[in-house]
Amino acid sequence: MKKELVTLKKIAQILDLSTSTVSRALNDHPDISEATTKKVKQLAQSLNYVPNIFAKGFRKHRSNIIGVIVPNITHYFTTTMVRGILEEAAIKGYRVIISESNNDVLKQTEMLNTMMQFGVDGILASLTKMTRDIDNILPILNKVPLILFDKVSNKIPCTQITINDEEAAYNAIEHLINIGKKRIAIIKEREFSYTSEKRFSGYLKALKDHDIEIDEKIIISVDDISLIQGKRMANHLLSIKKRPDAIFAITDSAAIGVIQTLKKFNINIPEDIAVVGFSNSSHSTIIEPKLTTVDQPGEKIGKNAVKYLIEEIESTTDILTNKMIEIKGNLIIRDSTFKV
Amino acid sequence: MKKELVTLKKIAQILDLSTSTVSRALNDHPDISEATTKKVKQLAQSLNYVPNIFAKGFRKHRSNIIGVIVPNITHYFTTTMVRGILEEAAIKGYRVIISESNNDVLKQTEMLNTMMQFGVDGILASLTKMTRDIDNILPILNKVPLILFDKVSNKIPCTQITINDEEAAYNAIEHLINIGKKRIAIIKEREFSYTSEKRFSGYLKALKDHDIEIDEKIIISVDDISLIQGKRMANHLLSIKKRPDAIFAITDSAAIGVIQTLKKFNINIPEDIAVVGFSNSSHSTIIEPKLTTVDQPGEKIGKNAVKYLIEEIESTTDILTNKMIEIKGNLIIRDSTFKV
DNA sequence: ATCGTTCCCGCAATCGTTTGCGTGACAATA
DNA sequence: TATTGTCACGCAAACGATTGCGGGAACGAT
């Protein structure tokens, strides 16, 4: 546990140099001659020198840590984004600390603050659903770069990275139309959710473009978009007089709930009612029939988020950037909308 | 971005005290009178003082960060453990940095080293499958506390936390026997895997205890225990002359592969062949019939891992602890073994 | 009056690294 | 020769918190 630390001073003593020279040599400072630089680096190597991270951070006010906050780390899609974040961060020499907000707004702001106090160089956040009180988040912006991904909010002036939800939803609906569906229901979220709204507007746009009547009765809003709610809403949709012939659930889990109750009532999928989800979760190939859904390239989102964040961290200018980046999601057609 | 930092010195100046007094006051040092302690704390509060984490770590050689390494963060069970880790760590005032080894041994050792250099106070690791070259891991033990969880290795002298794999497997097999199954196959891992071996020995023990013949032909070993392999091995098991009447797959994903091919051949589950998995993954209730499996309390494992790790971190003695902790997993009986 | 305690608190060093500034050696230029 | 410039490096301060040591004040006991 003791293990005599190797420090700049030690290297300096051995080489009969000053610590400053050693430091500069290791950092490729132009003031230092090639010869000594080489000498220093060699010794450092052989002594297995590692710079004291604390002293370094202490001086430079840099931790090389980025903080990540997600609502629920248990969701498969979230983990794929996290994977992308970890990869890209490792490449760029950053470590990642992760927190889970459990969709609790208070916890979320608390975590933002802890992370700040803890000295992260930047924060990547995927917001909880009902993040309305932006006031708690805005102060962060002046202190440390913040980038939102996946669950974003256009009320916050910072760069944001999402799926092209609207377009992807549009494509999904168009696919349903192409296979002959004319009465397409949607199950979306009631609480304001950026992604839900985007997908909804893609839905509306597609219907309009194909001159299909929009019927409020088959536009279903739920509080939490879960498997259970999918079941409930499918039940509801079966009970109305003019049944839909397709159901677009804003989320795979809801779509799976829908499929499960349709099967319970022996409704043929996709002939009687087609179903499409959103996420390409791992469940979508386990359920039968396999679910048509939108694949979201999580790793790509994660990587991009890190890329933009580090850009902001290492930029010298202090202006808030405010880009909106969209990553393309792809419709994956499976048995729930298409029979071979 | 500038934002005049609040430091001990500033507080000291305002209160006309020395920084040392302020420091001690904030740390509840007995030398400081109640009155001044109170005064200092109040001012610190109102000034929104946060100790500079770098300076603190610099002095105390403590980062209050623990490193976590997992093979694959995408697995549901892994995320539940991570959740437990995050929760417990947050409570204890530690941050968590996570890395993914992707089941790559080289990456794993590299990550261990990076984390060490980075100054984590301790490391929690779930090992990659084929971690044989313990040599890369042993040096870590002298430098920083290490605890293994889930994927462990009894070759490494440190405390380890697992499910009671053997017992749980025993219970699963006993359940199969109780519902009348007499010829029970197992699909396990070929490569040495601590958990696989444990589950296998539970299987053997249960069969012996119930005087059931052990048949090598229905003991299947595979390289990677995946859904695909589940399908393949199910095919194989169907092809042998004395078919099994139950299949115990060491893993949910393999069990799901098994179910999928059994269904393809119109074999009744569980009447003809019962299936049980291990993990209680989220897939196990999506598949039909719903899968009987062993629920592993991931959060509990995570929490315990953190608890023991912090214990070691904060202990003053330097002796390597070497406890084996087992967390109980519970058999969850569903349709794949039991018809109502 | 002197001594010994106890209670509170300040001084100053310290951790390892970075960095502004200074300096000596030497070469180039006037 | 005197001046200027460049190169390569050293000095020392600084970052903010912690901590061993020492010391003054107050008080009681002798």
Side-chain angles (χ1 to χ4, degrees):
Chain A
M1 217 70 170
K2 283 292 160 287
K3 201 64 180 168
E4 276 303 315
L5 264 297
V6 183
T7 71
L8 285 187
K9 203 192 292 181
K10 183 157 296 171
I11 297 181
Q13 282 174 351
I14 297 177
L15 258 37
D16 199 34
L17 289 170
S18 71
T19 60
S20 39
T21 302
V22 176
S23 169
R24 283 193 253 256
L26 291 173
N27 291 316
D28 288 313
H29 193 283
D31 263 11
I32 309 300
S33 72
E34 263 185 61
T36 45
T37 298
K38 201 170 177 181
K39 217 168 42 177
V40 169
K41 283 190 176 177
Q42 276 181 356
L43 184 63
Q45 178 80 29
S46 69
L47 251 51
N48 221 319
Y49 166 78
V50 296
N52 182 313
I53 204 81
F54 301 116
K56 197 168 185 171
F58 184 32
R59 276 294 317 209
K60 312 251 292 186
H61 292 281
R62 273 285 181 79
S63 59
N64 273 41
I65 302 181
I66 67 185
V68 173
I69 300 180
V70 294
N72 185 330
I73 203 175
T74 270
H75 286 160
Y76 178 75
F77 172 55
T78 301
T79 63
T80 62
M81 293 190 296
V82 168
R83 166 175 286 171
I85 290 173
L86 292 178
E87 268 187 48
E88 187 67 19
I91 292 174
K92 296 282 179 68
Y94 281 74
R95 250 69 41 183
V96 176
I97 81 180
I98 296 184
S99 282
E100 205 182 3
S101 66
N102 280 317
N103 266 320
D104 178 338
V105 186
L106 266 71
K107 235 182 180 174
Q108 179 175 267
T109 63
E110 186 192 321
M111 284 170 171
L112 283 168
N113 288 319
T114 336
M115 286 195 168
M116 285 238 7
Q117 292 177 19
F118 191 68
V120 297
D121 291 342
I123 297 179
L124 248 36
S126 186
L127 299 177
T128 67
K129 288 184 207 176
M130 300 167 287
T131 306
R132 291 211 201 75
D133 42 352
I134 311 296
D135 302 342
N136 293 324
I137 299 182
L138 292 179
I140 304 284
L141 291 176
N142 308 321
K143 302 200 180 181
V144 59
L146 171 69
I147 284 187
L148 301 181
F149 67 102
D150 190 39
K151 312 282 185 204
V152 303
S153 160
N154 46 13
K155 290 184 193 164
I156 302 177
C158 66
T159 94
Q160 327 216 345
I161 301 177
T162 53
I163 290 283
N164 58 341
D165 288 287
E166 186 169 347
E167 196 179 342
Y170 185 97
N171 293 338
I173 300 301
E174 198 164 47
H175 164 65
L176 288 173
I177 295 170
N178 286 340
I179 61 169
K181 300 300 182 181
K182 302 200 176 326
R183 187 162 166 72
I184 302 170
I186 183 172
I187 302 177
K188 67 183 192 71
E189 275 182 301
R190 172 176 298 130
E191 296 293 339
F192 181 84
S193 144
Y194 183 87
T195 51
S196 177
E197 289 305 306
K198 284 285 179 189
R199 291 172 196 174
F200 182 47
S201 69
Y203 164 87
L204 292 177
K205 199 143 171 280
L207 293 188
K208 275 181 199 151
D209 285 0
H210 290 79
D211 293 320
I212 295 183
E213 178 205 13
I214 289 160
D215 183 355
E216 296 278 349
K217 283 195 288 298
I218 54 174
I219 295 176
I220 313 288
S221 294
V222 295
D223 278 340
D224 81 310
I225 187 89
S226 63
L227 194 143
I228 303 289
Q229 287 293 354
K231 285 188 179 181
R232 286 217 188 103
M233 294 308 123
N235 263 304
H236 169 69
L237 283 169
L238 291 177
S239 74
I240 65 180
K241 39 190 181 218
K242 276 186 70 182
R243 274 190 189 176
D245 56 9
I247 299 176
F248 173 40
I250 228 78
T251 264
D252 269 8
S253 55
I256 285 170
V258 168
I259 289 182
Q260 287 180 340
T261 85
L262 294 186
K263 280 167 78 178
K264 206 174 78 186
F265 289 105
N266 289 317
I267 290 172
N268 291 323
I269 306 171
E271 294 84 350
D272 298 340
I273 298 182
V275 180
V276 7
F278 207 110
S279 269
N280 193 24
S281 75
S282 58
H283 293 170
S284 57
T285 55
I286 304 292
I287 189 80
E288 277 181 35
K290 292 180 179 163
L291 181 63
T292 292
T293 184
V294 175
D295 179 57
Q296 308 182 85
E299 293 192 32
K300 199 168 172 189
I301 294 181
K303 288 190 177 189
N304 269 277
V306 171
K307 208 172 291 176
Y308 283 101
L309 182 64
I310 292 183
E311 212 167 82
E312 283 194 33
I313 290 173
E314 296 182 351
S315 113
T316 47
T317 64
D318 241 18
I319 31 163
L320 302 179
T321 56
N322 194 346
K323 299 179 194 165
M324 304 296 288
I325 288 103
E326 286 197 343
I327 309 289
K328 275 207 192 319
N330 299 309
L331 186 68
I332 297 188
I333 297 169
R334 298 206 185 93
D335 303 339
S336 74
T337 64
F338 191 76
K339 210 80 174 193
V340 276
Chain B
M1 216 71 171
K2 284 295 161 282
K3 200 67 181 167
E4 274 304 314
L5 265 298
V6 183
T7 71
L8 284 189
K9 202 192 295 180
K10 183 156 296 170
I11 297 180
Q13 282 175 351
I14 296 177
L15 256 39
D16 198 34
L17 289 169
S18 73
T19 60
S20 41
T21 303
V22 176
S23 170
R24 283 192 254 254
L26 291 173
N27 292 316
D28 287 313
H29 193 284
D31 265 9
I32 309 300
S33 71
E34 261 187 63
T36 46
T37 297
K38 200 170 176 183
K39 215 168 43 176
V40 169
K41 282 190 177 176
Q42 276 182 354
L43 185 62
Q45 178 80 29
S46 70
L47 252 49
N48 220 317
Y49 166 79
V50 298
N52 182 315
I53 204 81
F54 301 115
K56 198 168 185 171
F58 183 33
R59 277 293 319 217
K60 313 250 291 186
H61 293 282
R62 275 282 182 78
S63 60
N64 273 43
I65 303 182
I66 67 185
V68 173
I69 299 182
V70 293
N72 186 330
I73 202 175
T74 270
H75 287 160
Y76 177 75
F77 173 56
T78 301
T79 63
T80 61
M81 293 190 296
V82 168
R83 167 176 284 171
I85 291 173
L86 293 177
E87 266 184 51
E88 187 68 18
I91 292 172
K92 296 282 179 70
Y94 281 75
R95 250 69 40 181
V96 176
I97 80 179
I98 297 184
S99 283
E100 203 183 4
S101 67
N102 278 316
N103 264 319
D104 178 340
V105 185
L106 268 70
K107 234 183 182 173
Q108 180 176 266
T109 63
E110 186 192 319
M111 282 169 174
L112 284 168
N113 287 320
T114 335
M115 285 192 169
M116 286 238 3
Q117 291 177 20
F118 191 68
V120 297
D121 291 342
I123 296 180
L124 249 36
S126 186
L127 298 177
T128 68
K129 288 184 205 177
M130 300 168 285
T131 305
R132 293 211 197 72
D133 43 351
I134 312 296
D135 302 341
N136 293 324
I137 299 181
L138 291 179
I140 303 285
L141 290 176
N142 306 322
K143 303 201 178 180
V144 60
L146 171 69
I147 285 188
L148 301 181
F149 66 101
D150 190 39
K151 313 283 184 202
V152 305
S153 160
N154 45 13
K155 293 185 192 163
I156 302 176
C158 66
T159 97
Q160 327 216 343
I161 300 175
T162 54
I163 288 284
N164 58 341
D165 288 287
E166 186 168 347
E167 194 179 343
Y170 185 98
N171 292 338
I173 301 300
E174 199 164 48
H175 164 65
L176 288 172
I177 295 170
N178 286 340
I179 62 170
K181 301 301 182 181
K182 303 197 176 325
R183 186 161 168 74
I184 302 171
I186 182 171
I187 301 179
K188 68 183 193 69
E189 275 182 303
R190 171 174 299 129
E191 298 291 340
F192 181 83
S193 146
Y194 184 88
T195 50
S196 178
E197 289 306 306
K198 282 287 178 190
R199 291 172 196 176
F200 181 47
S201 68
Y203 164 86
L204 292 177
K205 197 141 171 283
L207 293 186
K208 274 181 200 150
D209 284 1
H210 290 81
D211 293 320
I212 295 184
E213 176 205 14
I214 287 161
D215 183 355
E216 295 277 351
K217 284 195 288 299
I218 55 173
I219 295 176
I220 313 288
S221 294
V222 294
D223 280 340
D224 80 309
I225 185 87
S226 61
L227 192 144
I228 303 289
Q229 287 291 353
K231 285 188 177 181
R232 286 214 190 104
M233 295 308 124
N235 262 304
H236 168 69
L237 283 170
L238 290 177
S239 74
I240 65 180
K241 35 188 186 225
K242 276 187 68 183
R243 273 190 190 175
D245 57 8
I247 300 176
F248 172 39
I250 225 78
T251 264
D252 270 8
S253 55
I256 284 170
V258 169
I259 289 183
Q260 286 181 341
T261 86
L262 293 187
K263 280 168 78 178
K264 205 173 80 185
F265 289 103
N266 289 317
I267 291 170
N268 291 323
I269 307 171
E271 294 84 351
D272 299 339
I273 299 182
V275 180
V276 10
F278 207 110
S279 270
N280 193 24
S281 74
S282 58
H283 294 170
S284 57
T285 55
I286 303 291
I287 190 80
E288 276 180 41
K290 291 177 180 167
L291 181 64
T292 291
T293 184
V294 175
D295 179 57
Q296 308 182 82
E299 292 192 33
K300 201 169 171 189
I301 293 182
K303 286 188 179 194
N304 269 276
V306 171
K307 210 173 289 177
Y308 284 100
L309 182 64
I310 292 181
E311 214 167 80
E312 284 196 32
I313 290 174
E314 295 181 350
S315 115
T316 48
T317 66
D318 241 18
I319 32 162
L320 302 179
T321 55
N322 194 347
K323 299 179 194 165
M324 304 297 288
I325 287 103
E326 285 196 345
I327 308 290
K328 277 207 192 319
N330 299 307
L331 187 67
I332 296 188
I333 297 169
R334 297 207 185 92
D335 304 339
S336 73
T337 64
F338 191 76
K339 211 81 176 192
V340 277

